[in-house]
Amino acid sequence: GCKNLLCDNKRTSCVFGCEAEKFARIIARQGTLGEEVISWSVDSLGNAIEEKRDTVKVDSKTNNLGWIVTKADEQGNPILDNNGHINQWIIEDSTFTKKYEIDPNNNLIFRPKGGVQLFVQIPDNIILEQWGSKMQIAEGGYINITDPSDMYGISERDFTDTYRKVSASNKNLH
């Protein structure tokens, strides 16, 4: 996990934080209006938990449908978790086009555009209101706090599969 302590100014509330860069590839397609996707994760014991249930909507910023995204290996094959679930989720069109581009080495998959991002690791199970729906994040998961207007959660398993830590951060939370 992230080993650098991030605390409020009075040091009454602390979390572990780190900087990381996304490296994982994804398979993606625009969904159909109302298409449902269940995102699965695991708890700290490896048991399957329904992380999030969402439907494809029209993005109010672009008037295009959202994207159904699937975690993929380097060959572009969907990755199954230990419980047999494909790791899928929905991303709004405006967010997708900002964060992903076709991989020039394999035009069947997309690669992240981003750069270094800031995360905090959570010490307890939480439910996070994210992009209009609720998401369960098990103890040890992470919250991306790079952009306060676009914070999102990610399970510890998905963080490990998706991000590479790049440096240490020692910052105060305000």
Side-chain angles (χ1 to χ4, degrees):
C2 295
K3 300 296 184 205
N4 294 71
L5 204 54
L6 305 175
C7 300
D8 65 13
N9 290 333
K10 296 179 184 175
R11 298 189 77 72
T12 55
S13 177
C14 297
V15 293
F16 291 102
C18 63
E19 291 179 331
E21 190 169 35
K22 187 180 281 190
F23 67 86
R25 302 302 192 251
I26 59 168
I27 303 164
R29 65 172 177 83
Q30 280 191 294
T32 56
L33 189 61
E35 185 175 354
E36 185 177 67
V37 171
I38 299 172
S39 300
W40 293 94
S41 188
V42 293
D43 64 17
S44 57
L45 300 174
N47 300 311
I49 57 170
E50 185 177 306
E51 188 175 65
K52 185 176 179 183
R53 184 180 294 255
D54 201 2
T55 56
V56 174
K57 300 169 192 70
V58 174
D59 186 328
S60 62
K61 295 178 186 139
T62 65
N63 288 322
N64 292 323
L65 292 167
W67 291 75
I68 296 177
V69 175
T70 305
K71 192 189 304 186
D73 63 20
E74 291 180 14
Q75 290 74 44
N77 301 307
I79 295 174
L80 293 177
D81 68 18
N82 292 339
N83 296 300
H85 296 115
I86 293 175
N87 190 331
Q88 289 188 314
W89 62 101
I90 297 172
I91 301 178
E92 288 184 324
D93 181 62
S94 56
T95 301
F96 181 83
T97 56
K98 180 173 68 175
K99 293 186 175 189
Y100 291 96
E101 63 190 4
I102 291 281
D103 186 328
N105 299 319
N106 182 344
N107 65 3
L108 300 176
I109 57 177
F110 291 81
R111 68 179 184 185
K113 289 182 183 179
V116 174
Q117 299 169 54
L118 183 61
F119 292 86
V120 292
Q121 191 168 22
I122 58 171
D124 297 304
N125 297 336
I126 65 166
I127 296 176
L128 179 70
E129 185 77 25
Q130 171 184 321
W131 302 319
S133 45
K134 293 184 178 179
M135 177 181 189
Q136 294 185 62
I137 306 169
E139 172 187 343
Y142 294 81
I143 299 175
N144 184 324
I145 61 170
T146 306
D147 177 356
S149 68
D150 186 28
M151 292 192 294
Y152 61 88
I154 184 168
S155 70
E156 184 173 24
R157 174 201 68 186
D158 291 340
F159 181 88
T160 302
D161 291 348
T162 307
Y163 290 88
R164 184 179 302 116
K165 292 179 190 153
V166 293
S167 68
S169 294
N170 286 308
K171 301 180 186 210
N172 283 329
L173 301 176
H174 299 288

